[in-house]
Coordinates of all heavy atoms in Angstrom, one line a residue:
I1 N -146.1 24.6 -40.2 CA -146.8 24.4 -38.9 C -148.0 23.4 -39.1 O -148.2 22.5 -38.3 CB -147.3 25.7 -38.4 CG1 -146.1 26.6 -38.0 CG2 -148.2 25.5 -37.1 CD1 -146.5 28.1 -37.7
L2 N -148.8 23.6 -40.2 CA -149.9 22.7 -40.4 C -149.4 21.3 -40.7 O -150.1 20.3 -40.2 CB -150.8 23.2 -41.5 CG -151.5 24.6 -41.2 CD1 -152.1 25.1 -42.5 CD2 -152.5 24.3 -40.1
R3 N -148.3 21.1 -41.4 CA -147.8 19.8 -41.7 C -147.3 19.1 -40.4 O -147.5 17.9 -40.2 CB -146.6 19.8 -42.7 CG -147.1 19.9 -44.1 CD -145.9 19.6 -45.1 NE -144.8 20.5 -44.9 CZ -144.7 21.7 -45.6 NH1 -145.6 22.1 -46.4 NH2 -143.6 22.4 -45.4
A4 N -146.7 19.9 -39.5 CA -146.2 19.4 -38.2 C -147.4 18.9 -37.4 O -147.3 17.9 -36.7 CB -145.4 20.4 -37.5
A5 N -148.5 19.6 -37.5 CA -149.7 19.2 -36.8 C -150.3 17.9 -37.3 O -150.7 17.0 -36.6 CB -150.8 20.3 -36.8
A6 N -150.3 17.8 -38.7 CA -150.8 16.6 -39.3 C -150.0 15.4 -39.0 O -150.6 14.3 -39.0 CB -150.9 16.9 -40.8
T7 N -148.7 15.6 -38.9 CA -147.8 14.4 -38.6 C -147.6 14.2 -37.1 O -146.7 13.4 -36.7 CB -146.5 14.6 -39.3 OG1 -145.9 15.9 -38.9 CG2 -146.6 14.6 -40.8
H8 N -148.4 14.9 -36.3 CA -148.3 14.8 -34.8 C -147.0 15.2 -34.2 O -146.6 14.7 -33.1 CB -148.7 13.4 -34.4 CG -150.0 12.9 -34.9 ND1 -151.2 13.4 -34.5 CD2 -150.3 12.0 -35.9 CE1 -152.2 12.8 -35.2 NE2 -151.6 11.9 -36.0
H9 N -146.3 16.1 -34.9 CA -145.0 16.6 -34.3 C -145.3 17.8 -33.4 O -144.4 18.2 -32.7 CB -144.0 17.0 -35.4 CG -143.4 15.8 -36.1 ND1 -143.9 15.3 -37.3 CD2 -142.4 15.1 -35.8 CE1 -143.1 14.3 -37.7 NE2 -142.2 14.1 -36.8
L10 N -146.5 18.4 -33.5 CA -146.9 19.5 -32.7 C -148.2 19.3 -32.1 O -149.2 18.9 -32.8 CB -146.9 20.8 -33.5 CG -145.6 21.5 -33.9 CD1 -145.9 22.7 -34.7 CD2 -144.8 21.9 -32.6
P11 N -148.4 19.6 -30.8 CA -149.7 19.5 -30.2 C -150.6 20.5 -30.8 O -150.2 21.6 -31.2 CB -149.5 19.8 -28.7 CG -148.0 19.6 -28.5 CD -147.4 19.9 -29.8
I12 N -151.9 20.3 -30.8 CA -152.9 21.2 -31.5 C -152.9 22.5 -30.8 O -153.1 23.6 -31.5 CB -154.3 20.5 -31.6 CG1 -155.2 21.3 -32.5 CG2 -154.9 20.5 -30.2 CD1 -154.7 21.3 -34.0
E13 N -152.7 22.6 -29.5 CA -152.8 23.9 -28.8 C -151.6 24.7 -29.2 O -151.7 26.0 -29.3 CB -152.8 23.7 -27.3 CG -151.7 22.9 -26.6 CD -152.0 21.4 -26.6 OE1 -153.0 21.0 -27.3 OE2 -151.3 20.7 -25.8
D14 N -150.4 24.1 -29.4 CA -149.2 24.8 -29.9 C -149.4 25.3 -31.3 O -149.0 26.4 -31.7 CB -148.0 23.9 -29.9 CG -147.5 23.7 -28.4 OD1 -148.0 24.3 -27.5 OD2 -146.6 22.8 -28.2
V15 N -150.1 24.5 -32.1 CA -150.4 24.9 -33.5 C -151.2 26.2 -33.5 O -151.0 27.1 -34.3 CB -151.1 23.8 -34.3 CG1 -151.6 24.3 -35.6 CG2 -150.1 22.6 -34.4
D16 N -152.3 26.2 -32.7 CA -153.2 27.4 -32.7 C -152.4 28.6 -32.2 O -152.6 29.7 -32.8 CB -154.3 27.1 -31.7 CG -155.3 26.1 -32.2 OD1 -155.3 25.9 -33.5 OD2 -156.1 25.5 -31.4
R17 N -151.6 28.5 -31.2 CA -150.8 29.7 -30.8 C -149.8 30.2 -31.8 O -149.7 31.4 -32.0 CB -150.0 29.3 -29.5 CG -150.9 29.3 -28.2 CD -150.0 29.5 -27.0 NE -149.0 28.4 -26.9 CZ -149.2 27.2 -26.3 NH1 -150.4 26.9 -25.8 NH2 -148.2 26.3 -26.3
L18 N -149.2 29.2 -32.5 CA -148.2 29.6 -33.5 C -148.8 30.3 -34.7 O -148.3 31.2 -35.3 CB -147.4 28.4 -33.9 CG -146.4 27.9 -32.9 CD1 -145.8 26.5 -33.3 CD2 -145.2 28.9 -32.7
L19 N -150.0 29.7 -35.1 CA -150.7 30.3 -36.3 C -151.2 31.7 -35.9 O -151.1 32.6 -36.8 CB -151.9 29.4 -36.7 CG -151.5 28.1 -37.4 CD1 -152.8 27.2 -37.6 CD2 -150.8 28.3 -38.7
D20 N -151.8 31.9 -34.7 CA -152.2 33.2 -34.3 C -151.1 34.2 -34.2 O -151.2 35.3 -34.7 CB -152.9 33.1 -32.9 CG -154.3 32.4 -33.0 OD1 -154.8 32.3 -34.1 OD2 -154.8 32.0 -31.9
A21 N -149.9 33.7 -33.7 CA -148.8 34.6 -33.6 C -148.2 34.9 -34.9 O -147.8 36.1 -35.2 CB -147.7 34.0 -32.7
G22 N -148.2 34.0 -35.9 CA -147.8 34.2 -37.2 C -148.6 35.2 -37.9 O -148.1 36.1 -38.6
S23 N -150.0 35.1 -37.7 CA -150.9 36.1 -38.3 C -150.6 37.5 -37.7 O -150.7 38.5 -38.4 CB -152.3 35.7 -38.0 OG -152.6 34.5 -38.7
A24 N -150.3 37.5 -36.4 CA -150.0 38.8 -35.7 C -148.7 39.5 -36.3 O -148.7 40.7 -36.5 CB -149.8 38.6 -34.2
I25 N -147.7 38.7 -36.5 CA -146.4 39.2 -37.0 C -146.6 39.7 -38.5 O -146.1 40.8 -38.9 CB -145.3 38.2 -36.9 CG1 -143.9 39.0 -37.0 CG2 -145.3 37.1 -38.0 CD1 -142.7 38.1 -36.7
R26 N -147.4 39.0 -39.2 CA -147.7 39.5 -40.6 C -148.5 40.8 -40.6 O -148.2 41.7 -41.3 CB -148.6 38.4 -41.3 CG -148.9 38.7 -42.7 CD -150.0 37.8 -43.2 NE -150.2 37.8 -44.6 CZ -151.3 37.2 -45.2 NH1 -152.2 36.6 -44.5 NH2 -151.4 37.2 -46.5
R27 N -149.5 40.9 -39.7 CA -150.3 42.1 -39.6 C -149.5 43.2 -39.1 O -149.6 44.4 -39.6 CB -151.5 41.8 -38.7 CG -152.4 43.0 -38.5 CD -153.2 43.3 -39.8 NE -154.2 44.3 -39.6 CZ -154.9 44.9 -40.6 NH1 -154.7 44.5 -41.8 NH2 -155.8 45.8 -40.3
M28 N -148.6 43.0 -38.2 CA -147.7 44.0 -37.6 C -146.8 44.6 -38.7 O -146.7 45.8 -38.9 CB -146.9 43.5 -36.5 CG -146.0 44.5 -35.8 SD -144.4 44.8 -36.6 CE -143.6 43.2 -36.3
V29 N -146.2 43.7 -39.5 CA -145.4 44.2 -40.6 C -146.2 45.0 -41.6 O -145.7 46.0 -42.1 CB -144.6 43.0 -41.2 CG1 -144.0 43.4 -42.5 CG2 -143.6 42.4 -40.3
E30 N -147.3 44.5 -42.0 CA -148.2 45.2 -43.0 C -148.5 46.6 -42.5 O -148.4 47.6 -43.2 CB -149.5 44.4 -43.2 CG -149.3 43.1 -44.0 CD -150.6 42.3 -44.2 OE1 -151.5 42.7 -43.4 OE2 -150.6 41.4 -45.0
Q31 N -149.0 46.7 -41.2 CA -149.4 48.0 -40.7 C -148.2 49.0 -40.6 O -148.3 50.2 -40.8 CB -150.1 47.9 -39.3 CG -151.3 47.1 -39.4 CD -152.4 47.6 -40.3 OE1 -152.4 47.3 -41.5 NE2 -153.2 48.5 -39.8
L32 N -147.0 48.4 -40.2 CA -145.8 49.2 -40.0 C -145.4 49.7 -41.4 O -144.9 50.9 -41.6 CB -144.7 48.4 -39.4 CG -143.5 49.2 -39.0 CD1 -143.8 50.4 -38.1 CD2 -142.5 48.3 -38.3
I33 N -145.4 48.9 -42.4 CA -145.1 49.3 -43.8 C -146.0 50.4 -44.3 O -145.6 51.4 -44.9 CB -145.0 48.1 -44.7 CG1 -143.9 47.2 -44.4 CG2 -144.9 48.6 -46.2 CD1 -143.8 45.9 -45.2
K34 N -147.3 50.2 -44.0 CA -148.3 51.3 -44.5 C -148.0 52.6 -43.8 O -147.9 53.6 -44.5 CB -149.7 50.8 -44.1 CG -150.3 49.7 -44.9 CD -151.7 49.4 -44.4 CE -152.3 48.2 -45.1 NZ -153.6 47.8 -44.6
A35 N -147.7 52.5 -42.5 CA -147.5 53.8 -41.8 C -146.2 54.4 -42.3 O -146.1 55.6 -42.5 CB -147.4 53.5 -40.3
T36 N -145.1 53.6 -42.5 CA -143.8 54.1 -42.9 C -144.0 54.7 -44.3 O -143.4 55.8 -44.6 CB -142.8 53.0 -43.0 OG1 -142.7 52.4 -41.7 CG2 -141.4 53.5 -43.3
T37 N -144.7 54.1 -45.2 CA -144.8 54.6 -46.6 C -145.5 55.9 -46.6 O -145.1 56.9 -47.2 CB -145.6 53.6 -47.4 OG1 -145.0 52.3 -47.4 CG2 -145.8 54.1 -48.8
M38 N -146.6 56.0 -45.8 CA -147.4 57.3 -45.7 C -146.5 58.4 -45.1 O -146.5 59.5 -45.5 CB -148.7 57.1 -45.0 CG -149.7 56.3 -45.7 SD -151.3 56.2 -44.8 CE -151.8 57.9 -45.1
L39 N -145.8 58.0 -44.1 CA -145.0 59.0 -43.3 C -143.9 59.5 -44.2 O -143.6 60.7 -44.2 CB -144.4 58.3 -42.1 CG -143.9 59.2 -40.9 CD1 -145.0 60.2 -40.5 CD2 -143.4 58.4 -39.8
K40 N -143.2 58.6 -44.9 CA -142.1 59.0 -45.8 C -142.7 59.8 -47.0 O -142.0 60.8 -47.4 CB -141.3 57.8 -46.3 CG -140.5 57.1 -45.3 CD -139.7 56.0 -45.9 CE -138.8 55.3 -44.8 NZ -137.7 56.1 -44.4

C-alpha cells in the first residue's frame, strides 16, 4: 500500500483508509485469537 502511494497508484486518502482498515483487521484477529485461546 505504501509503495502504491509512493508511485502515485493510490490517492493519499485511499492509502489512509486502507492502512487504518489493515490495522483494524490485524487487531481484530489478535483479540479474537486471545479470546479463543483463553476460552479453550
Side-chain angles (χ1 to χ4, degrees):
I1 293 169
L2 292 172
R3 280 196 299 271
T7 56
H8 305 291
H9 286 98
L10 281 178
I12 192 65
E13 57 270 16
D14 289 348
V15 171
D16 289 340
R17 281 200 304 272
L18 288 170
L19 289 175
D20 288 343
S23 296
I25 198 170
R26 180 196 195 191
R27 182 69 175 169
M28 184 275 292
V29 168
E30 288 176 348
Q31 298 303 88
L32 187 55
I33 291 174
K34 288 179 185 177
T36 305
T37 302
M38 290 186 70
L39 199 58
K40 287 181 180 293

